Amino acid sequence: MSIAAPQPNPSADRDARTGITVTDELVEANRRYAEKFTDPGMDARPVRRVAVVACMDARLDLHEALGLELGDCHTIRNAGGVVTDDIIRSLTISQRALGTRSVVLIHHTGCGLLNLTEDFRHELEEEVGQRPSWAVEAFRDLDGDVRQSMQRVRTSPFLLHTDDVRGFVFDVTTGLLREVTPRA
């Protein structure tokens, strides 16, 4: 798989008529939001004492899918929802400094990492002249990667609470979660 040059994206480019970018639209939406905003009076500790680790895929509306409200959880997202060193870092802060006790891991059907390999890093190195310091963490087996992620959380020496760690696959066509059983 070769890395193709990014294709122009009309929604990301400046509108030829107005000169407005997507970022400009987001900033304007925030201004309208802030006009009606009132401080909910919460602190940074999640009310439900749960951290959710999930893929960054735009099709996952985690709060809606899980019935969560503002302030209920910490949401930590990356490509694939894989448990990397940075996820462990965030979970450690979430547990040790902010009181979370449960961890929910969510991968999903149709994930882009199912179609990548570590060759992606090598192609990037050839293109830009520098090898990325990070692993792609691509996978071919959703359930297997959820199990690996659960194992990484459960065996981390930095985490205080590893007894309530559960993993799921979210089906992007039905909206349903399917629980993945851990390795025995």
Side-chain angles (χ1 to χ4, degrees):
M1 165 191 282
S2 65
I3 300 173
Q7 297 300 310
N9 180 348
S11 66
D13 293 341
R14 193 171 295 280
D15 184 294
R17 288 182 304 109
T18 64
I20 295 174
T21 66
V22 170
T23 303
D24 294 331
E25 292 171 355
L26 298 176
V27 171
E28 177 56 26
N30 174 258
R31 187 192 60 70
R32 291 188 305 272
Y33 169 79
E35 287 174 357
K36 300 175 202 159
F37 182 79
T38 56
D39 179 0
M42 302 174 179
D43 78 14
R45 294 175 181 274
V47 173
R48 308 281 303 265
R49 298 183 359 159
V50 62
V52 178
V53 176
C55 185
M56 66 185 190
D57 191 293
R59 296 172 289 182
L60 277 66
D61 183 347
L62 294 172
H63 277 73
E64 185 72 20
L66 301 174
L68 296 167
E69 300 293 330
L70 181 66
D72 279 350
C73 72
H74 283 157
T75 306
I76 308 163
R77 296 177 80 154
N78 69 12
V82 291
V83 175
T84 61
D85 286 346
D86 195 56
I87 294 294
I88 294 294
R89 171 189 160 273
S90 294
L91 287 172
T92 301
I93 292 166
S94 178
Q95 287 190 358
R96 290 179 175 265
L98 298 166
T100 60
R101 300 185 62 84
S102 300
V103 178
V104 174
L105 305 169
I106 301 177
H107 284 34
H108 67 91
T109 58
C111 184
L113 284 187
L114 287 165
N115 300 318
L116 287 179
T117 66
E118 290 299 319
D119 289 340
F120 183 78
R121 290 178 68 227
H122 302 296
E123 293 165 1
L124 277 172
E125 180 181 16
E126 288 176 15
E127 180 183 321
V128 302
Q130 180 179 342
R131 174 176 280 170
S133 60
W134 38 264
V136 175
E137 295 275 356
F139 49 86
R140 297 220 183 278
D141 175 8
L142 278 171
D143 288 23
D145 201 69
V146 171
R147 285 186 186 97
Q148 176 177 292
S149 292
M150 284 190 283
Q151 187 65 19
R152 285 179 177 175
V153 171
R154 288 184 171 151
T155 60
S156 173
F158 305 110
L159 299 175
L160 296 171
H161 307 288
T162 58
D163 54 323
D164 188 14
V165 177
R166 293 172 64 185
F168 301 86
V169 172
F170 178 86
D171 187 317
V172 298
T173 61
T174 67
L176 288 172
L177 288 176
R178 177 179 54 77
E179 188 157 10
V180 175
T181 55
R183 289 185 183 107

